[in-house]
Amino acid sequence: MAHTLLQEKFNKNLDNSLIKEIETIGKLVTYKKNDIIIDINQTLKHIPLLLSGNIKILREDQDGNELLIYFLEAGETCTMSLTCCMGTSKSKIRAVAEKDSTLIMIPVQNMQKWFHENASWRNFILESYQTRFDEMLEAIDNLAFIKMDERLIKYLINKTKLHSSKTIIVKHQDIAEDLHTSRVVISRLLKQLENQNKIKLSRNKIEVL
C-alpha cells in the first residue's frame, strides 16, 4: 500500500530513486480521526509525509485555546515540523487527524541529508514552505481583516473541498475551537447563513448549498 500511495501522491515532486529510499527507511503509521499526531513541545525525531486523509495544524495560546493555522492534504508535509527538525527545537504546533489518515514518517537525519543531496527533495521542501507561508499569511489576514461570518463560510467551503462532499459532519463547538471563538457565536452565524439559503443545518451536519 505504501508504494502505491507514495507513487500516486509524490511522483510529481520526488524522483523514483528517492521514493524507493523512502519506502525502505520510512515507517508507515495510521491514525484515527481526532488522534494527535504531533503535539506541542514534543521532540521531533521524524517528519510526516501524508499519504491519505487530512490533518489540521493548530497553535495554542497561553490559556490553552487552539487556533487553526492550516490543513494538510495527501501529498504534503508539515513545514512547521520541518522547521523544528532543522533547528532541533521542540514542536510549536499540534497536528490532529481531521479524518482517518495514513502517513510515512521520515527520520530527521534523512530529511537533512536529502536536502543537500537530492534536488527533487529540496524543491519539494522549498515549495512546501512557500505554500504554508502563503496560507499563514491568509490566516493572519482572516484574523485581522475578515469578519467572523465571512471567515465561517470560507471555513465551511474549505471543509467541503477537503472532504469532497457538500455535507460536513461537524459539531458547532469544533468549528468554534478552530475559529477561536465561542459556540454561541458560531451557532448564531450558522443560523444566519441558513436563513440566507447558503447552508442547511441538521444535527451535527451542515450542507453547503
Side-chain angles (χ1 to χ4, degrees), residues 3-32:
H3 174 78
T4 302
L5 288 173
L6 272 168
Q7 287 287 349
E8 179 184 341
K9 301 300 181 182
F10 291 94
N11 66 351
K12 292 181 180 179
N13 301 105
L14 306 177
D15 61 44
N16 286 331
S17 62
L18 184 58
I19 287 176
K20 290 179 180 177
E21 192 172 352
I22 290 172
E23 290 174 13
T24 302
I25 60 93
K27 179 183 178 183
L28 192 68
V29 292
T30 59
Y31 292 91
K32 296 293 186 182

Side-chain angles (χ1 to χ4, degrees), residues 29-71:
V29 292
T30 59
Y31 292 91
K32 296 293 186 182
K33 180 180 178 179
N34 295 325
D35 282 353
I36 295 176
I37 299 167
I38 299 172
D39 209 352
I40 294 169
N41 290 325
Q42 179 180 337
T43 299
L44 300 179
K45 297 181 180 179
H46 297 79
I47 63 155
L49 296 182
L50 183 57
L51 300 180
S52 67
N54 300 120
I55 297 172
K56 56 184 178 182
I57 306 301
L58 308 161
R59 284 278 287 157
E60 188 177 81
D61 67 16
Q62 292 180 343
D63 298 321
N65 299 309
E66 293 180 331
L67 176 65
L68 176 67
I69 303 298
Y70 54 79
F71 285 100

Side-chain angles (χ1 to χ4, degrees), residues 50-55 72-74 99-102:
L50 183 57
L51 300 180
S52 67
N54 300 120
I55 297 172
L72 290 182
E73 299 182 68
K99 59 183 180 181
D100 293 356
S101 300
T102 302

